[in-house]
Amino acid sequence: MLRTALRNVLAHKARLMMTALAVLLGVAFVSGTLVFADTTATAFRNASAKSLKGVAVSVRAEGDPATPAGEEEGQRTTALDAVLARKIRALPGVASVRPTVNGEATLAAKNGRPVNAGNNSQNLATNYLRDKGGKDSHFPLKEGRGPAAEGELALDAKTAEKAGYRIGDTVRFATDGPALTKKLVGIVTTDDPQVTAGGTLTLFDTETAQKLFRHPGQFDEIAVAAQDGTDERVLTDQVRTLLPGKGVRATSGADLAAEQSAQIAENTQSLTKTLLVFAGIALFVGVFLIANTFTMLIAQRSREIALMRAVGASRRQVVRSVLIEAALLGLVASAAGFALGLGIATVLRPLLNTTGAGLPDGPLVIMPAAPLSSLAVGVVVTVLAAWLPSRKAAKIAPVAVLSSVDQAPPARALVVRNVLGTLLTAAGVLVMFYVSTLTTSTESHLMTAMLGGVLTLLGVIVLAPLLSRPLITLVGRATTRWFGVSGKLAKENALRNPRRTAATASALMIGLALITGLTVGGHSAQRAMDREATQGLAADYKVTNSTARGLDADAAGKVARVPGVAAAAPVTSAGLDTRGRYAVITGTDPKAFGKAAQLDFQAGTLDDIGPGRIAVSDEFAEQAGLHVGGTIDAELGSGTDSGTDTGTDSGTNPGIDAGKTGTDTGKARKKLTVVGIYARTRAADDALGTLSDVLPYSTSSQELENVLVKAETGQAPGLERKIRAALGDSPLLKVRSQEQLVKENNGPFTTVLNMMYGLLGMAVIIAILGVVNTLAMSVFERTREIGMLRAIGLDRSGVRQMVRLESVVISLFGAVLGTGTGIFLAWAGGSLMTTSMPLYETVLPWGSLGVFLVLALVIGVLAAIWPARRAARLNMLHAIQSA
């Protein structure tokens, strides 16, 4: 039986090749994901190890206190200073100390555009620390020299190339305020993962870095190198005795490496699980193809199996022969799939880095678990898929099979299947209807939605044979009317074996159901995000700062004076707590805001807003029981009072209760009168007041969050450059039109969506192979019939057309089931999006759905090319004589 299994593997190369391809693609995803996870984790660990090389103890400032009054924003105070560094250096066993200053610097390229402005966390800045030789071993020089004076800086090679700078150029940059300029004196190399993944690196001399990010003599970290033979933990304990106490932590190099390793594992685990889910989907779809292939091969070998049974082969031996054949096929396909997976693992890193993932460079790492798991998964899936066909082969009667190759499935089996399918579908639909009533996306609700989706898909798969007859009959009417006899024969051929047709269509249905659900949900989410990004905005531009620091309080006045600007509305916000309800109040200039925003007032007008007078949204009014003319005692701000109790009102901030001085930058109680109610929009949050009432308590530390700019008629084009120039043209400035706001808001979501389309597309490719296999099986079963049709006058083109139409009918059946199921699942699960997207509503992308149906037609035509040619080339005499 082993020799028989080996012979059978080699006897049907073409069909087994398609099955092997399905296994190969599924395993490729599994192996690619596992290798990618190992490679990424190792690259992070290597980068971490390089950064920790020679570090026996790391002393770090754990948190930054608030900026003291009168000091520049961007400067923070730490307890790490030059005195502490000298004390640590004097400890026995210390070889050297490296005090560093860390910050962020956003560069302007030579063309004036910001470099990497959308991800400031990757715009690294630190100090260039010279050793006795005048160089910094952490940043090897490629050109020039290290920065040594306040007017100098160095860049890493990739940053300099990206920005277009050369040695001697003047570089514009910003840290947390206005634009600055310094001369580029050096270009270095670095293996920092954030930089190699697309970030930037700017180096200053230590004194300049401290001036920009800290205070003279203060640092963020002190890295301690130990002499040979020194115990790290003992040295760490000694360093701890020197620390000033709160806000500073000393960690041994070993503990720091362990912490970073654990963080790396946690960061890569989520992505690995997501990719494995898509690999599982591809393998699940492949099961249908594998099962159909072995069913076809068993049908072709029915006479052979019957003869084997007649000469003494037992049922167990027949089953074993088929399973050995499947195992051999799975083993070979899995080996090839693992090789393809290495290619997938190689391209995943640069692909994900386009989304800002920040994955470091590194060699491909193949741990033993990756190939072993890949081979095991491929073989197990193939053997399980071949198990039912092997049982069918074992039941072939030695005598009965000689008179019939293809028998209809027993009626009882279909009845049981239909009942089971009805129960599964009903359970899934009921669960999804329950999900549609939920309005929060908690973990338990998401799990419930996944359960409902799986039950619904399984139910439709089981019911597919029952659904195939009415749907294929309906499509068959069109093929019969348009293509005559060929169309009618195609319909009858598709209905001949409903279980096999359903299995083929189900593979396509799963892929299209998931893609349709993703498309409907993604389209609806994008529409909601588009509306939210510009909700209530009539402004042509929105000006913001790309860091946590806001805009200067006089920024709106500067913009308003720009030629071509009709209105510039300053916007800030603060917390508002009244009657046990917390809300956000927006502060602005009501007159300018009326031109830059669109508010729908239900009571009162924008002109009624003034000092001590606010308008509230309809939602907040209902929640807090507010009405026009009512007075509320509100607490503004979200910080801690920094003023002192004087017992008298300073009078510097109108409306502030007596007892607080004008230096209060935290919370304060104010008497506010409600003068209007409007429909809530993103532009105005829960309440709207004057800038003077809100700015002292704003969440951006008495700075503007943004400025809304309305251009004069026909003046909007080109206004961006003028606005940037009026505000100092800092690289941190973001001046975005409504179109740019929408694009930026949707950018990461669109990238992830496209990647998911690509992953699900693998399942559709496997489904196409399934259609090819089914058609090839259909041609084999109808060899004599095709010969008879040729003999009575059906030409070769008619035979090809018949096979093509059968393929199209099966593909359309799968497409209708898939798109219908996907739309239902997207609609039912869409309610979970309303928490994060209040404007979310299910919107059907009719254009995309039409493309899916056209895609099904194309799949049907392409999948039929080889089977149709094979059928048309059959010799009619040999076909008529075949058994």
Side-chain angles (χ1 to χ4, degrees):
M1 298 304 292
L2 177 61
R3 286 197 298 271
T4 301
L6 291 171
R7 180 180 61 80
N8 288 331
V9 168
L10 300 175
H12 306 280
K13 298 182 183 67
R15 295 185 190 107
L16 285 176
M17 189 175 296
M18 287 184 288
T19 305
L21 189 56
V23 179
L24 182 151
L25 293 175
V27 170
F29 261 107
V30 174
S31 63
T33 300
L34 294 176
V35 172
F36 168 74
D38 292 335
T39 299
T40 303
T42 302
F44 270 119
R45 280 193 290 268
N46 289 342
S48 174
K50 287 181 180 179
S51 66
L52 295 176
K53 185 178 180 181
V55 177
V57 185
S58 173
V59 183
R60 295 185 177 183
E62 291 187 309
D64 291 334
T67 304
E71 293 181 355
E72 293 184 11
E73 186 70 29
Q75 293 181 328
R76 294 291 186 268
T77 301
T78 73
L80 304 185
D81 54 23
V83 175
L84 178 61
R86 285 195 296 270
K87 289 180 179 179
I88 294 175
R89 179 66 184 86
L91 287 173
V94 173
S96 64
V97 295
R98 179 183 175 84
T100 57
V101 182
N102 300 320
E104 297 173 359
T106 302
L107 302 172
K110 207 164 185 180
N111 61 10
R113 295 287 180 182
V115 179
N116 202 32
N119 194 355
N120 288 322
S121 62
Q122 285 187 280
N123 295 336
L124 309 181
T126 187
N127 58 317
Y128 186 87
L129 196 62
R130 294 168 175 270
D131 56 20
K132 293 180 180 179
K135 296 181 179 180
D136 189 337
S137 59
H138 278 66
F139 303 108
L141 281 169
K142 184 178 180 181
E143 295 180 52
R145 58 177 177 82
E150 185 175 356
E152 300 176 346
L153 59 75
L155 300 175
D156 73 282
K158 287 187 176 181
T159 300
E161 181 182 1
K162 185 164 42 176
Y165 287 122
R166 296 181 178 180
I167 297 293
D169 287 343
T170 298
V171 179
R172 290 181 61 253
F173 69 96
T175 57
D176 200 25
L180 304 172
T181 59
K182 294 185 187 298
K183 183 180 179 181
L184 179 63
V185 297
I187 295 178
V188 304
T189 60
T190 180
D191 51 14
D192 189 299
Q194 292 190 73
V195 179
T196 58
T200 64
L201 174 65
T202 308
L203 300 173
F204 307 96
D205 66 279
T206 300
E207 290 75 15
T208 301
Q210 289 172 333
K211 182 178 178 181
L212 289 172
F213 307 116
R214 295 293 166 194
H215 285 276
Q218 294 186 348
F219 306 95
D220 292 283
E221 180 183 9
I222 299 175
V224 183
Q227 296 175 357
D228 292 340
T230 302
D231 189 297
E232 275 190 10
R233 299 196 180 279
V234 172
L235 183 58
T236 303
D237 291 337
Q238 291 176 340
V239 170
R240 285 173 180 159
T241 62
L242 301 177
L243 300 184
K246 208 170 181 181
V248 179
R249 182 169 71 108
T251 309
S252 69
D255 289 344
L256 195 59
E259 289 178 11
Q260 293 188 2
S261 179
Q263 186 64 44
I264 290 167
E266 183 179 345
N267 292 341
T268 56
Q269 187 178 35
S270 178
L271 178 60
T272 302
K273 287 181 178 179
T274 301
L275 293 174
L276 285 176
V277 167
F278 286 98
I281 292 171
L283 286 170
F284 182 65
V285 173
V287 166
F288 293 91
L289 171 56
I290 298 167
N292 265 3
T293 299
F294 278 94
T295 300
M296 174 174 65
L297 296 177
I298 287 165
Q300 289 181 333
R301 302 204 306 265
S302 295
R303 190 188 298 273
E304 174 190 323
I305 293 172
L307 290 174
M308 291 172 60
R309 291 291 312 282
V311 298
S314 66
R315 290 188 174 185
R316 181 174 298 179
Q317 286 178 311
V318 172
V319 171
R320 191 181 304 154
S321 173
V322 175
L323 294 183
I324 290 174
E325 184 179 345
L328 291 172
L329 175 67
L331 185 62
V332 173
S334 299
F338 177 75
L340 179 61
L342 298 181
I344 293 176
T346 302
V347 302
L348 270 176
R349 185 196 63 79
L351 177 64
L352 291 172
N353 276 344
T354 61
T355 68
L359 303 178
D361 291 325
L364 212 59
V365 176
I366 304 174
M367 304 294 285
L372 293 177
S373 299
S374 302
L375 294 176
V377 167
V379 171
V380 169
V381 167
T382 309
V383 170
L384 288 178
W387 181 67
L388 286 177
S390 71
R391 287 174 56 85
K392 181 181 178 181
K395 293 179 181 178
I396 294 176
V399 177
V401 76
L402 299 179
S403 60
S404 175
V405 173
D406 185 35
Q407 294 178 336
R412 181 180 178 185
L414 288 178
V415 170
V416 172
R417 177 171 181 157
N418 292 340
V419 172
L420 178 61
T422 301
L423 293 175
L424 285 173
T425 305
V429 170
L430 288 175
V431 171
M432 292 310 296
F433 271 120
Y434 166 70
V435 170
S436 68
T437 65
L438 303 175
T439 56
T440 56
S441 56
T442 62
E443 185 175 351
S444 61
H445 290 166
L446 291 174
M447 294 301 295
T448 302
M450 290 179 62
L451 174 63
V454 170
L455 288 175
T456 303
L457 280 173
L458 289 177
V460 173
I461 291 171
V462 177
L463 275 180
L466 178 65
L467 299 173
S468 65
R469 183 163 295 278
L471 292 177
I472 290 179
T473 299
L474 182 63
V475 176
R477 290 180 181 177
T479 60
T480 302
R481 174 174 296 182
W482 294 339
F483 301 99
V485 174
S486 297
K488 184 174 183 180
L489 289 172
K491 180 196 73 173
E492 295 300 328
N493 292 336
L495 292 173
R496 179 172 298 188
N497 191 332
R499 288 195 296 186
R500 189 178 66 227
T501 297
T504 304
S506 294
L508 186 59
M509 183 270 290
I510 295 170
L512 284 180
L514 295 174
I515 290 179
T516 299
L518 182 64
T519 301
V520 174
H523 180 74
S524 302
Q526 282 185 320
R527 287 285 294 271
M529 291 169 69
D530 290 351
R531 292 168 61 192
E532 288 180 0
T534 59
Q535 186 188 26
L537 285 183
D540 295 292
Y541 291 98
K542 183 176 183 179
V543 184
T544 58
N545 195 318
S546 58
T547 67
R549 185 176 186 266
L551 301 169
D552 292 337
D554 61 347
K558 293 178 180 178
V559 175
R561 291 189 289 273
V562 172
V565 172
V571 177
T572 192
S573 66
L576 184 149
D577 193 354
T578 182
R579 301 183 182 182
R581 300 283 181 178
Y582 181 80
V584 176
I585 181 170
T586 299
T588 187
D589 173 4
K591 184 178 180 180
F593 194 77
K595 296 179 181 180
Q598 295 173 334
L599 294 183
D600 180 15
F601 273 85
Q602 301 172 3
T605 66
L606 198 61
D607 294 334
D608 296 328
I609 298 174
R613 303 191 303 275
I614 66 171
V616 296
S617 70
D618 50 0
E619 294 179 7
F620 183 53
E622 182 179 355
Q623 293 171 1
L626 304 178
H627 57 85
V628 174
T631 301
I632 60 174
D633 184 13
E635 187 176 58
L636 290 179
S638 56
T640 304
D641 295 341
S642 61
T644 56
D645 190 9
T646 63
T648 59
D649 190 343
S650 66
T652 57
N653 288 322
I656 300 179
D657 289 349
K660 295 293 180 183
T661 69
T663 60
D664 183 3
T665 58
K667 292 184 177 181
R669 304 204 69 84
K670 293 175 70 74
K671 298 286 186 181
L672 299 173
T673 302
V674 178
V675 295
I677 296 177
Y678 57 87
R680 190 184 190 281
T681 69
R682 188 174 182 177
D685 293 318
D686 303 303
L688 186 66
T690 63
L691 191 66
S692 59
D693 279 342
V694 179
L695 186 60
Y697 318 102
S698 65
T699 54
S700 56
S701 302
Q702 298 192 37
E703 294 173 328
L704 302 180
E705 292 180 2
N706 60 76
V707 175
L708 303 179
V709 183
K710 181 65 177 177
E712 294 177 353
T713 304
Q715 297 298 312
L719 197 58
E720 175 192 353
R721 295 300 306 169
K722 296 179 182 178
I723 295 172
R724 294 187 66 90
L727 296 178
D729 201 15
S730 168
L732 297 175
L733 277 178
K734 300 174 76 172
V735 183
R736 294 163 294 171
S737 64
Q738 289 201 19
E739 182 180 351
Q740 290 170 325
L741 284 171
V742 170
K743 185 176 180 181
E744 183 176 305
N745 199 41
N746 292 351
F749 180 78
T750 302
T751 302
V752 173
L753 204 62
N754 290 335
M755 189 168 63
M756 293 176 72
Y757 281 137
L759 295 173
L760 289 176
M762 192 65 69
V764 175
I765 292 174
I766 295 174
I768 295 173
L769 298 176
V771 177
V772 175
N773 255 11
T774 295
L775 292 175
M777 181 175 182
S778 179
V779 170
F780 166 76
E781 290 178 348
R782 300 200 307 275
T783 299
R784 177 177 292 182
E785 176 187 319
I786 292 172
M788 291 295 295
L789 290 172
R790 290 290 314 283
I792 63 176
L794 188 65
D795 59 12
R796 293 179 185 270
S797 62
V799 172
R800 284 195 294 267
Q801 188 178 71
M802 176 186 69
V803 177
R804 279 198 300 266
L805 290 174
E806 180 183 354
S807 176
V808 168
V809 167
I810 294 174
S811 297
L812 283 177
F813 171 52
V816 170
L817 281 184
T819 53
T821 305
I823 290 172
F824 170 72
L825 294 178
W827 167 80
S831 62
L832 301 179
M833 302 287 288
T834 55
T835 301
S836 56
M837 296 182 186
L839 299 180
Y840 181 91
E841 59 181 15
T842 302
V843 180
L844 296 183
W846 294 108
S848 298
L849 297 180
V851 168
F852 293 157
L853 292 178
V854 173
L855 178 64
L857 289 172
V858 174
I859 288 173
V861 173
L862 294 178
I865 292 176
W866 177 65
R869 289 186 62 187
R870 183 177 182 276
R873 297 165 83 176
L874 285 175
N875 184 292
M876 69 176 70
L877 295 179
H878 291 166
I880 292 173
Q881 293 174 357
S882 66

